[in-house]
PDB file of all heavy atoms in Angstrom:
ATOM      1  N   VAL A  10      -5.730  23.770   3.891  1.00 98.00           N
ATOM      2  CA  VAL A  10      -5.005  24.932   3.377  1.00 98.00           C
ATOM      3  C   VAL A  10      -5.353  25.151   1.907  1.00 98.00           C
ATOM      4  O   VAL A  10      -5.510  26.284   1.461  1.00 98.00           O
ATOM      5  CB  VAL A  10      -3.486  24.731   3.570  1.00 98.00           C
ATOM      6  CG1 VAL A  10      -2.697  25.801   2.823  1.00 98.00           C
ATOM      7  CG2 VAL A  10      -3.139  24.745   5.062  1.00 98.00           C
ATOM      8  N   LEU A  11      -5.493  24.055   1.158  1.00 98.00           N
ATOM      9  CA  LEU A  11      -5.822  24.154  -0.258  1.00 98.00           C
ATOM     10  C   LEU A  11      -7.330  24.316  -0.463  1.00 98.00           C
ATOM     11  O   LEU A  11      -8.127  23.930   0.393  1.00 98.00           O
ATOM     12  CB  LEU A  11      -5.338  22.901  -0.997  1.00 98.00           C
ATOM     13  CG  LEU A  11      -3.819  22.662  -1.007  1.00 98.00           C
ATOM     14  CD1 LEU A  11      -3.487  21.358  -1.731  1.00 98.00           C
ATOM     15  CD2 LEU A  11      -3.080  23.830  -1.646  1.00 98.00           C
ATOM     16  N   SER A  12      -7.697  24.820  -1.627  1.00 95.00           N
ATOM     17  CA  SER A  12      -9.112  25.099  -1.899  1.00 95.00           C
ATOM     18  C   SER A  12      -9.707  24.239  -3.005  1.00 95.00           C
ATOM     19  O   SER A  12     -10.893  24.353  -3.306  1.00 95.00           O
ATOM     20  CB  SER A  12      -9.289  26.577  -2.274  1.00 95.00           C
ATOM     21  OG  SER A  12      -8.521  26.888  -3.431  1.00 95.00           O
ATOM     22  N   ASN A  13      -8.905  23.378  -3.616  1.00 93.00           N
ATOM     23  CA  ASN A  13      -9.392  22.629  -4.778  1.00 93.00           C
ATOM     24  C   ASN A  13      -9.582  21.148  -4.473  1.00 93.00           C
ATOM     25  O   ASN A  13      -9.453  20.301  -5.358  1.00 93.00           O
ATOM     26  CB  ASN A  13      -8.411  22.797  -5.941  1.00 93.00           C
ATOM     27  CG  ASN A  13      -7.008  22.320  -5.574  1.00 93.00           C
ATOM     28  OD1 ASN A  13      -6.675  22.204  -4.399  1.00 93.00           O
ATOM     29  ND2 ASN A  13      -6.186  22.052  -6.583  1.00 93.00           N
ATOM     30  N   LEU A  14      -9.901  20.817  -3.231  1.00 97.00           N
ATOM     31  CA  LEU A  14     -10.029  19.424  -2.825  1.00 97.00           C
ATOM     32  C   LEU A  14     -11.476  18.954  -2.942  1.00 97.00           C
ATOM     33  O   LEU A  14     -12.408  19.744  -2.864  1.00 97.00           O
ATOM     34  CB  LEU A  14      -9.534  19.256  -1.391  1.00 97.00           C
ATOM     35  CG  LEU A  14      -8.110  19.754  -1.128  1.00 97.00           C
ATOM     36  CD1 LEU A  14      -7.788  19.702   0.356  1.00 97.00           C
ATOM     37  CD2 LEU A  14      -7.094  18.947  -1.932  1.00 97.00           C
ATOM     38  N   LYS A  15     -11.646  17.642  -3.102  1.00 96.00           N
ATOM     39  CA  LYS A  15     -12.993  17.090  -3.265  1.00 96.00           C
ATOM     40  C   LYS A  15     -13.254  15.882  -2.367  1.00 96.00           C
ATOM     41  O   LYS A  15     -14.326  15.771  -1.770  1.00 96.00           O
ATOM     42  CB  LYS A  15     -13.219  16.696  -4.724  1.00 96.00           C
ATOM     43  CG  LYS A  15     -13.196  17.880  -5.690  1.00 96.00           C
ATOM     44  CD  LYS A  15     -13.413  17.420  -7.127  1.00 96.00           C
ATOM     45  CE  LYS A  15     -13.372  18.608  -8.087  1.00 96.00           C
ATOM     46  NZ  LYS A  15     -13.544  18.180  -9.509  1.00 96.00           N
ATOM     47  N   THR A  16     -12.312  14.952  -2.271  1.00 96.00           N
ATOM     48  CA  THR A  16     -12.602  13.671  -1.620  1.00 96.00           C
ATOM     49  C   THR A  16     -12.266  13.658  -0.131  1.00 96.00           C
ATOM     50  O   THR A  16     -12.621  12.701   0.560  1.00 96.00           O
ATOM     51  CB  THR A  16     -11.838  12.525  -2.302  1.00 96.00           C
ATOM     52  OG1 THR A  16     -10.423  12.658  -2.058  1.00 96.00           O
ATOM     53  CG2 THR A  16     -12.100  12.517  -3.793  1.00 96.00           C
ATOM     54  N   ILE A  17     -11.595  14.686   0.390  1.00 97.00           N
ATOM     55  CA  ILE A  17     -11.220  14.676   1.808  1.00 97.00           C
ATOM     56  C   ILE A  17     -11.901  15.804   2.589  1.00 97.00           C
ATOM     57  O   ILE A  17     -11.517  16.095   3.720  1.00 97.00           O
ATOM     58  CB  ILE A  17      -9.691  14.734   1.998  1.00 97.00           C
ATOM     59  CG1 ILE A  17      -9.093  15.997   1.365  1.00 97.00           C
ATOM     60  CG2 ILE A  17      -9.045  13.486   1.415  1.00 97.00           C
ATOM     61  CD1 ILE A  17      -7.589  16.157   1.623  1.00 97.00           C
ATOM     62  N   ILE A  18     -12.917  16.426   1.969  1.00 97.00           N
ATOM     63  CA  ILE A  18     -13.674  17.471   2.663  1.00 97.00           C
ATOM     64  C   ILE A  18     -15.163  17.150   2.594  1.00 97.00           C
ATOM     65  O   ILE A  18     -15.620  16.406   1.726  1.00 97.00           O
ATOM     66  CB  ILE A  18     -13.424  18.867   2.053  1.00 97.00           C
ATOM     67  CG1 ILE A  18     -13.805  18.890   0.576  1.00 97.00           C
ATOM     68  CG2 ILE A  18     -11.981  19.303   2.280  1.00 97.00           C
ATOM     69  CD1 ILE A  18     -13.780  20.279  -0.052  1.00 97.00           C
ATOM     70  N   ASP A  19     -15.913  17.756   3.537  1.00 95.00           N
ATOM     71  CA  ASP A  19     -17.358  17.581   3.521  1.00 95.00           C
ATOM     72  C   ASP A  19     -18.012  18.729   2.750  1.00 95.00           C
ATOM     73  O   ASP A  19     -17.329  19.571   2.145  1.00 95.00           O
ATOM     74  CB  ASP A  19     -17.910  17.460   4.940  1.00 95.00           C
ATOM     75  CG  ASP A  19     -17.686  18.718   5.780  1.00 95.00           C
ATOM     76  OD1 ASP A  19     -17.436  19.803   5.213  1.00 95.00           O
ATOM     77  OD2 ASP A  19     -17.753  18.618   7.024  1.00 95.00           O
ATOM     78  N   VAL A  20     -19.342  18.798   2.778  1.00 95.00           N
ATOM     79  CA  VAL A  20     -20.072  19.777   1.980  1.00 95.00           C
ATOM     80  C   VAL A  20     -19.797  21.210   2.434  1.00 95.00           C
ATOM     81  O   VAL A  20     -19.943  22.165   1.654  1.00 95.00           O
ATOM     82  CB  VAL A  20     -21.590  19.468   2.028  1.00 95.00           C
ATOM     83  CG1 VAL A  20     -22.155  19.710   3.417  1.00 95.00           C
ATOM     84  CG2 VAL A  20     -22.347  20.253   0.977  1.00 95.00           C
ATOM     85  N   ASP A  21     -19.350  21.396   3.680  1.00 96.00           N
ATOM     86  CA  ASP A  21     -19.036  22.726   4.190  1.00 96.00           C
ATOM     87  C   ASP A  21     -17.576  23.118   3.989  1.00 96.00           C
ATOM     88  O   ASP A  21     -17.153  24.193   4.403  1.00 96.00           O
ATOM     89  CB  ASP A  21     -19.371  22.809   5.684  1.00 96.00           C
ATOM     90  CG  ASP A  21     -20.864  22.684   5.940  1.00 96.00           C
ATOM     91  OD1 ASP A  21     -21.632  23.312   5.197  1.00 96.00           O
ATOM     92  OD2 ASP A  21     -21.247  21.959   6.877  1.00 96.00           O
ATOM     93  N   GLY A  22     -16.802  22.235   3.346  1.00 97.00           N
ATOM     94  CA  GLY A  22     -15.403  22.540   3.091  1.00 97.00           C
ATOM     95  C   GLY A  22     -14.474  22.205   4.233  1.00 97.00           C
ATOM     96  O   GLY A  22     -13.290  22.573   4.202  1.00 97.00           O
ATOM     97  N   ASN A  23     -14.985  21.497   5.242  1.00 97.00           N
ATOM     98  CA  ASN A  23     -14.137  21.062   6.353  1.00 97.00           C
ATOM     99  C   ASN A  23     -13.573  19.676   6.084  1.00 97.00           C
ATOM    100  O   ASN A  23     -14.155  18.889   5.332  1.00 97.00           O
ATOM    101  CB  ASN A  23     -14.958  21.014   7.652  1.00 97.00           C
ATOM    102  CG  ASN A  23     -15.503  22.369   8.035  1.00 97.00           C
ATOM    103  OD1 ASN A  23     -14.773  23.355   8.091  1.00 97.00           O
ATOM    104  ND2 ASN A  23     -16.806  22.426   8.294  1.00 97.00           N
ATOM    105  N   PHE A  24     -12.447  19.370   6.741  1.00 97.00           N
ATOM    106  CA  PHE A  24     -11.954  17.995   6.680  1.00 97.00           C
ATOM    107  C   PHE A  24     -13.014  17.044   7.220  1.00 97.00           C
ATOM    108  O   PHE A  24     -13.756  17.368   8.153  1.00 97.00           O
ATOM    109  CB  PHE A  24     -10.690  17.837   7.529  1.00 97.00           C
ATOM    110  CG  PHE A  24      -9.431  18.332   6.876  1.00 97.00           C
ATOM    111  CD1 PHE A  24      -8.600  19.227   7.537  1.00 97.00           C
ATOM    112  CD2 PHE A  24      -9.057  17.900   5.620  1.00 97.00           C
ATOM    113  CE1 PHE A  24      -7.428  19.670   6.958  1.00 97.00           C
ATOM    114  CE2 PHE A  24      -7.898  18.338   5.020  1.00 97.00           C
ATOM    115  CZ  PHE A  24      -7.074  19.238   5.696  1.00 97.00           C
ATOM    116  N   ARG A  25     -13.068  15.864   6.638  1.00 95.00           N
ATOM    117  CA  ARG A  25     -13.984  14.848   7.133  1.00 95.00           C
ATOM    118  C   ARG A  25     -13.505  14.321   8.487  1.00 95.00           C
ATOM    119  O   ARG A  25     -12.313  14.325   8.779  1.00 95.00           O
ATOM    120  CB  ARG A  25     -14.072  13.694   6.138  1.00 95.00           C
ATOM    121  CG  ARG A  25     -14.630  14.113   4.775  1.00 95.00           C
ATOM    122  CD  ARG A  25     -14.747  12.895   3.878  1.00 95.00           C
ATOM    123  NE  ARG A  25     -15.114  13.253   2.512  1.00 95.00           N
ATOM    124  CZ  ARG A  25     -16.357  13.431   2.086  1.00 95.00           C
ATOM    125  NH1 ARG A  25     -17.353  13.323   2.928  1.00 95.00           N
ATOM    126  NH2 ARG A  25     -16.597  13.738   0.829  1.00 95.00           N
ATOM    127  N   ASN A  26     -14.435  13.825   9.292  1.00 92.00           N
ATOM    128  CA  ASN A  26     -14.101  13.212  10.567  1.00 92.00           C
ATOM    129  C   ASN A  26     -13.208  11.997  10.360  1.00 92.00           C
ATOM    130  O   ASN A  26     -13.296  11.315   9.332  1.00 92.00           O
ATOM    131  CB  ASN A  26     -15.395  12.803  11.273  1.00 92.00           C
ATOM    132  CG  ASN A  26     -15.158  12.249  12.652  1.00 92.00           C
ATOM    133  OD1 ASN A  26     -14.819  11.083  12.814  1.00 92.00           O
ATOM    134  ND2 ASN A  26     -15.341  13.099  13.649  1.00 92.00           N
ATOM    135  N   GLN A  27     -12.377  11.707  11.336  1.00 92.00           N
ATOM    136  CA  GLN A  27     -11.415  10.623  11.193  1.00 92.00           C
ATOM    137  C   GLN A  27     -12.078   9.273  10.907  1.00 92.00           C
ATOM    138  O   GLN A  27     -11.463   8.410  10.263  1.00 92.00           O
ATOM    139  CB  GLN A  27     -10.539  10.514  12.437  1.00 92.00           C
ATOM    140  CG  GLN A  27     -11.280  10.288  13.733  1.00 92.00           C
ATOM    141  CD  GLN A  27     -10.347  10.279  14.917  1.00 92.00           C
ATOM    142  OE1 GLN A  27      -9.341   9.568  14.925  1.00 92.00           O
ATOM    143  NE2 GLN A  27     -10.648  11.077  15.927  1.00 92.00           N
ATOM    144  N   ALA A  28     -13.323   9.082  11.346  1.00 90.00           N
ATOM    145  CA  ALA A  28     -13.994   7.810  11.081  1.00 90.00           C
ATOM    146  C   ALA A  28     -14.166   7.564   9.587  1.00 90.00           C
ATOM    147  O   ALA A  28     -14.200   6.412   9.135  1.00 90.00           O
ATOM    148  CB  ALA A  28     -15.354   7.783  11.780  1.00 90.00           C
ATOM    149  N   TYR A  29     -14.265   8.636   8.822  1.00 93.00           N
ATOM    150  CA  TYR A  29     -14.464   8.504   7.374  1.00 93.00           C
ATOM    151  C   TYR A  29     -13.326   7.713   6.730  1.00 93.00           C
ATOM    152  O   TYR A  29     -13.546   6.866   5.864  1.00 93.00           O
ATOM    153  CB  TYR A  29     -14.553   9.900   6.747  1.00 93.00           C
ATOM    154  CG  TYR A  29     -14.730   9.888   5.235  1.00 93.00           C
ATOM    155  CD1 TYR A  29     -15.997   9.828   4.671  1.00 93.00           C
ATOM    156  CD2 TYR A  29     -13.637   9.952   4.373  1.00 93.00           C
ATOM    157  CE1 TYR A  29     -16.169   9.821   3.298  1.00 93.00           C
ATOM    158  CE2 TYR A  29     -13.797   9.944   2.998  1.00 93.00           C
ATOM    159  CZ  TYR A  29     -15.053   9.875   2.461  1.00 93.00           C
ATOM    160  OH  TYR A  29     -15.228   9.865   1.107  1.00 93.00           O
ATOM    161  N   TYR A  30     -12.112   7.997   7.158  1.00 91.00           N
ATOM    162  CA  TYR A  30     -10.939   7.405   6.511  1.00 91.00           C
ATOM    163  C   TYR A  30     -10.747   5.945   6.887  1.00 91.00           C
ATOM    164  O   TYR A  30      -9.942   5.242   6.281  1.00 91.00           O
ATOM    165  CB  TYR A  30      -9.691   8.215   6.875  1.00 91.00           C
ATOM    166  CG  TYR A  30      -9.806   9.655   6.443  1.00 91.00           C
ATOM    167  CD1 TYR A  30     -10.164  10.641   7.362  1.00 91.00           C
ATOM    168  CD2 TYR A  30      -9.593  10.029   5.128  1.00 91.00           C
ATOM    169  CE1 TYR A  30     -10.300  11.964   6.974  1.00 91.00           C
ATOM    170  CE2 TYR A  30      -9.723  11.351   4.732  1.00 91.00           C
ATOM    171  CZ  TYR A  30     -10.083  12.307   5.653  1.00 91.00           C
ATOM    172  OH  TYR A  30     -10.220  13.617   5.273  1.00 91.00           O
ATOM    173  N   LYS A  31     -11.485   5.485   7.886  1.00 84.00           N
ATOM    174  CA  LYS A  31     -11.386   4.087   8.295  1.00 84.00           C
ATOM    175  C   LYS A  31     -12.460   3.238   7.642  1.00 84.00           C
ATOM    176  O   LYS A  31     -12.541   2.031   7.894  1.00 84.00           O
ATOM    177  CB  LYS A  31     -11.473   3.995   9.821  1.00 84.00           C
ATOM    178  CG  LYS A  31     -10.330   4.733  10.515  1.00 84.00           C
ATOM    179  CD  LYS A  31     -10.454   4.702  12.030  1.00 84.00           C
ATOM    180  CE  LYS A  31      -9.327   5.472  12.679  1.00 84.00           C
ATOM    181  NZ  LYS A  31      -9.406   5.479  14.161  1.00 84.00           N
ATOM    182  N   GLY A  32     -13.289   3.850   6.805  1.00 82.00           N
ATOM    183  CA  GLY A  32     -14.331   3.131   6.088  1.00 82.00           C
ATOM    184  C   GLY A  32     -13.921   2.869   4.655  1.00 82.00           C
ATOM    185  O   GLY A  32     -12.810   3.178   4.222  1.00 82.00           O
ATOM    186  N   SER A  33     -14.832   2.301   3.896  1.00 74.00           N
ATOM    187  CA  SER A  33     -14.543   1.936   2.499  1.00 74.00           C
ATOM    188  C   SER A  33     -15.047   3.044   1.583  1.00 74.00           C
ATOM    189  O   SER A  33     -16.048   2.893   0.870  1.00 74.00           O
ATOM    190  CB  SER A  33     -15.202   0.606   2.156  1.00 74.00           C
ATOM    191  OG  SER A  33     -16.589   0.657   2.421  1.00 74.00           O
ATOM    192  N   PHE A  34     -14.370   4.181   1.610  1.00 85.00           N
ATOM    193  CA  PHE A  34     -14.764   5.325   0.800  1.00 85.00           C
ATOM    194  C   PHE A  34     -13.685   5.604  -0.245  1.00 85.00           C
ATOM    195  O   PHE A  34     -12.519   5.254  -0.079  1.00 85.00           O
ATOM    196  CB  PHE A  34     -14.967   6.564   1.678  1.00 85.00           C
ATOM    197  CG  PHE A  34     -16.031   6.388   2.720  1.00 85.00           C
ATOM    198  CD1 PHE A  34     -15.700   6.046   4.012  1.00 85.00           C
ATOM    199  CD2 PHE A  34     -17.367   6.554   2.398  1.00 85.00           C
ATOM    200  CE1 PHE A  34     -16.679   5.868   4.976  1.00 85.00           C
ATOM    201  CE2 PHE A  34     -18.356   6.389   3.348  1.00 85.00           C
ATOM    202  CZ  PHE A  34     -18.008   6.036   4.644  1.00 85.00           C
ATOM    203  N   ILE A  35     -14.076   6.264  -1.309  1.00 91.00           N
ATOM    204  CA  ILE A  35     -13.121   6.625  -2.354  1.00 91.00           C
ATOM    205  C   ILE A  35     -12.375   7.877  -1.920  1.00 91.00           C
ATOM    206  O   ILE A  35     -12.977   8.926  -1.683  1.00 91.00           O
ATOM    207  CB  ILE A  35     -13.841   6.865  -3.691  1.00 91.00           C
ATOM    208  CG1 ILE A  35     -14.505   5.567  -4.170  1.00 91.00           C
ATOM    209  CG2 ILE A  35     -12.856   7.388  -4.737  1.00 91.00           C
ATOM    210  CD1 ILE A  35     -15.355   5.749  -5.425  1.00 91.00           C
ATOM    211  N   ILE A  36     -11.070   7.763  -1.796  1.00 94.00           N
ATOM    212  CA  ILE A  36     -10.221   8.876  -1.378  1.00 94.00           C
ATOM    213  C   ILE A  36      -9.103   9.025  -2.393  1.00 94.00           C
ATOM    214  O   ILE A  36      -8.417   8.045  -2.732  1.00 94.00           O
ATOM    215  CB  ILE A  36      -9.624   8.623   0.020  1.00 94.00           C
ATOM    216  CG1 ILE A  36     -10.740   8.493   1.060  1.00 94.00           C
ATOM    217  CG2 ILE A  36      -8.656   9.737   0.410  1.00 94.00           C
ATOM    218  CD1 ILE A  36     -10.273   7.922   2.370  1.00 94.00           C
ATOM    219  N   ASP A  37      -8.934  10.216  -2.875  1.00 96.00           N
ATOM    220  CA  ASP A  37      -7.843  10.511  -3.796  1.00 96.00           C
ATOM    221  C   ASP A  37      -6.594  10.785  -2.952  1.00 96.00           C
ATOM    222  O   ASP A  37      -6.474  11.855  -2.348  1.00 96.00           O
ATOM    223  CB  ASP A  37      -8.197  11.718  -4.661  1.00 96.00           C
ATOM    224  CG  ASP A  37      -7.143  12.004  -5.718  1.00 96.00           C
ATOM    225  OD1 ASP A  37      -6.034  11.429  -5.635  1.00 96.00           O
ATOM    226  OD2 ASP A  37      -7.414  12.826  -6.609  1.00 96.00           O
ATOM    227  N   GLU A  38      -5.685   9.834  -2.916  1.00 96.00           N
ATOM    228  CA  GLU A  38      -4.509   9.985  -2.069  1.00 96.00           C
ATOM    229  C   GLU A  38      -3.589  11.107  -2.540  1.00 96.00           C
ATOM    230  O   GLU A  38      -2.810  11.646  -1.756  1.00 96.00           O
ATOM    231  CB  GLU A  38      -3.747   8.661  -1.970  1.00 96.00           C
ATOM    232  CG  GLU A  38      -4.546   7.596  -1.230  1.00 96.00           C
ATOM    233  CD  GLU A  38      -3.750   6.342  -0.936  1.00 96.00           C
ATOM    234  OE1 GLU A  38      -2.578   6.265  -1.349  1.00 96.00           O
ATOM    235  OE2 GLU A  38      -4.309   5.430  -0.291  1.00 96.00           O
ATOM    236  N   GLN A  39      -3.716  11.488  -3.810  1.00 98.00           N
ATOM    237  CA  GLN A  39      -2.952  12.638  -4.292  1.00 98.00           C
ATOM    238  C   GLN A  39      -3.394  13.904  -3.566  1.00 98.00           C
ATOM    239  O   GLN A  39      -2.587  14.794  -3.299  1.00 98.00           O
ATOM    240  CB  GLN A  39      -3.125  12.804  -5.798  1.00 98.00           C
ATOM    241  CG  GLN A  39      -2.290  13.931  -6.413  1.00 98.00           C
ATOM    242  CD  GLN A  39      -0.800  13.672  -6.304  1.00 98.00           C
ATOM    243  OE1 GLN A  39      -0.331  12.546  -6.542  1.00 98.00           O
ATOM    244  NE2 GLN A  39      -0.036  14.702  -5.931  1.00 98.00           N
ATOM    245  N   GLU A  40      -4.685  13.979  -3.235  1.00 98.00           N
ATOM    246  CA  GLU A  40      -5.178  15.133  -2.481  1.00 98.00           C
ATOM    247  C   GLU A  40      -4.538  15.206  -1.105  1.00 98.00           C
ATOM    248  O   GLU A  40      -4.215  16.295  -0.615  1.00 98.00           O
ATOM    249  CB  GLU A  40      -6.698  15.078  -2.353  1.00 98.00           C
ATOM    250  CG  GLU A  40      -7.429  15.348  -3.646  1.00 98.00           C
ATOM    251  CD  GLU A  40      -8.917  15.588  -3.427  1.00 98.00           C
ATOM    252  OE1 GLU A  40      -9.401  15.377  -2.310  1.00 98.00           O
ATOM    253  OE2 GLU A  40      -9.584  15.995  -4.393  1.00 98.00           O
ATOM    254  N   ILE A  41      -4.361  14.051  -0.475  1.00 98.00           N
ATOM    255  CA  ILE A  41      -3.724  14.033   0.843  1.00 98.00           C
ATOM    256  C   ILE A  41      -2.279  14.495   0.726  1.00 98.00           C
ATOM    257  O   ILE A  41      -1.815  15.336   1.516  1.00 98.00           O
ATOM    258  CB  ILE A  41      -3.798  12.623   1.461  1.00 98.00           C
ATOM    259  CG1 ILE A  41      -5.255  12.235   1.678  1.00 98.00           C
ATOM    260  CG2 ILE A  41      -3.010  12.563   2.770  1.00 98.00           C
ATOM    261  CD1 ILE A  41      -5.454  10.806   2.122  1.00 98.00           C
ATOM    262  N   TYR A  42      -1.571  13.972  -0.250  1.00 98.00           N
ATOM    263  CA  TYR A  42      -0.183  14.397  -0.465  1.00 98.00           C
ATOM    264  C   TYR A  42      -0.112  15.901  -0.705  1.00 98.00           C
ATOM    265  O   TYR A  42       0.705  16.608  -0.093  1.00 98.00           O
ATOM    266  CB  TYR A  42       0.418  13.637  -1.647  1.00 98.00           C
ATOM    267  CG  TYR A  42       1.787  14.139  -2.047  1.00 98.00           C
ATOM    268  CD1 TYR A  42       2.937  13.663  -1.429  1.00 98.00           C
ATOM    269  CD2 TYR A  42       1.935  15.112  -3.049  1.00 98.00           C
ATOM    270  CE1 TYR A  42       4.193  14.137  -1.781  1.00 98.00           C
ATOM    271  CE2 TYR A  42       3.176  15.594  -3.400  1.00 98.00           C
ATOM    272  CZ  TYR A  42       4.302  15.101  -2.773  1.00 98.00           C
ATOM    273  OH  TYR A  42       5.543  15.584  -3.130  1.00 98.00           O
ATOM    274  N   ASP A  43      -0.955  16.402  -1.594  1.00 98.00           N
ATOM    275  CA  ASP A  43      -0.913  17.833  -1.942  1.00 98.00           C
ATOM    276  C   ASP A  43      -1.246  18.708  -0.733  1.00 98.00           C
ATOM    277  O   ASP A  43      -0.603  19.737  -0.501  1.00 98.00           O
ATOM    278  CB  ASP A  43      -1.894  18.126  -3.082  1.00 98.00           C
ATOM    279  CG  ASP A  43      -1.463  17.506  -4.399  1.00 98.00           C
ATOM    280  OD1 ASP A  43      -0.281  17.120  -4.530  1.00 98.00           O
ATOM    281  OD2 ASP A  43      -2.328  17.399  -5.296  1.00 98.00           O
ATOM    282  N   GLU A  44      -2.269  18.315   0.035  1.00 98.00           N
ATOM    283  CA  GLU A  44      -2.674  19.115   1.190  1.00 98.00           C
ATOM    284  C   GLU A  44      -1.607  19.094   2.274  1.00 98.00           C
ATOM    285  O   GLU A  44      -1.274  20.142   2.841  1.00 98.00           O
ATOM    286  CB  GLU A  44      -4.010  18.606   1.739  1.00 98.00           C
ATOM    287  CG  GLU A  44      -4.420  19.203   3.072  1.00 98.00           C
ATOM    288  CD  GLU A  44      -4.619  20.716   3.052  1.00 98.00           C
ATOM    289  OE1 GLU A  44      -4.836  21.283   1.970  1.00 98.00           O
ATOM    290  OE2 GLU A  44      -4.554  21.334   4.134  1.00 98.00           O
ATOM    291  N   TRP A  45      -1.066  17.938   2.574  1.00 98.00           N
ATOM    292  CA  TRP A  45      -0.016  17.863   3.605  1.00 98.00           C
ATOM    293  C   TRP A  45       1.226  18.637   3.164  1.00 98.00           C
ATOM    294  O   TRP A  45       1.863  19.309   3.964  1.00 98.00           O
ATOM    295  CB  TRP A  45       0.310  16.412   3.902  1.00 98.00           C
ATOM    296  CG  TRP A  45      -0.672  15.776   4.857  1.00 98.00           C
ATOM    297  CD1 TRP A  45      -1.701  16.398   5.493  1.00 98.00           C
ATOM    298  CD2 TRP A  45      -0.705  14.408   5.274  1.00 98.00           C
ATOM    299  NE1 TRP A  45      -2.370  15.496   6.293  1.00 98.00           N
ATOM    300  CE2 TRP A  45      -1.788  14.270   6.182  1.00 98.00           C
ATOM    301  CE3 TRP A  45       0.066  13.290   4.976  1.00 98.00           C
ATOM    302  CZ2 TRP A  45      -2.106  13.056   6.788  1.00 98.00           C
ATOM    303  CZ3 TRP A  45      -0.246  12.071   5.582  1.00 98.00           C
ATOM    304  CH2 TRP A  45      -1.320  11.961   6.480  1.00 98.00           C
ATOM    305  N   LYS A  46       1.544  18.565   1.891  1.00 98.00           N
ATOM    306  CA  LYS A  46       2.685  19.326   1.377  1.00 98.00           C
ATOM    307  C   LYS A  46       2.428  20.832   1.526  1.00 98.00           C
ATOM    308  O   LYS A  46       3.324  21.592   1.911  1.00 98.00           O
ATOM    309  CB  LYS A  46       2.939  18.971  -0.086  1.00 98.00           C
ATOM    310  CG  LYS A  46       4.208  19.609  -0.675  1.00 98.00           C
ATOM    311  CD  LYS A  46       4.399  19.161  -2.116  1.00 98.00           C
ATOM    312  CE  LYS A  46       5.676  19.755  -2.705  1.00 98.00           C
ATOM    313  NZ  LYS A  46       6.895  19.150  -2.124  1.00 98.00           N
TER     314      LYS A  46
END
């Protein structure tokens, strides 16, 4: 829904596949909070 995200989207602006979140990647959890809100 938001347009200012970086760590939870891919190069096309889509959410990353669920496998991404189960790996050792840098994720800004504030982005998750903001997007879910």
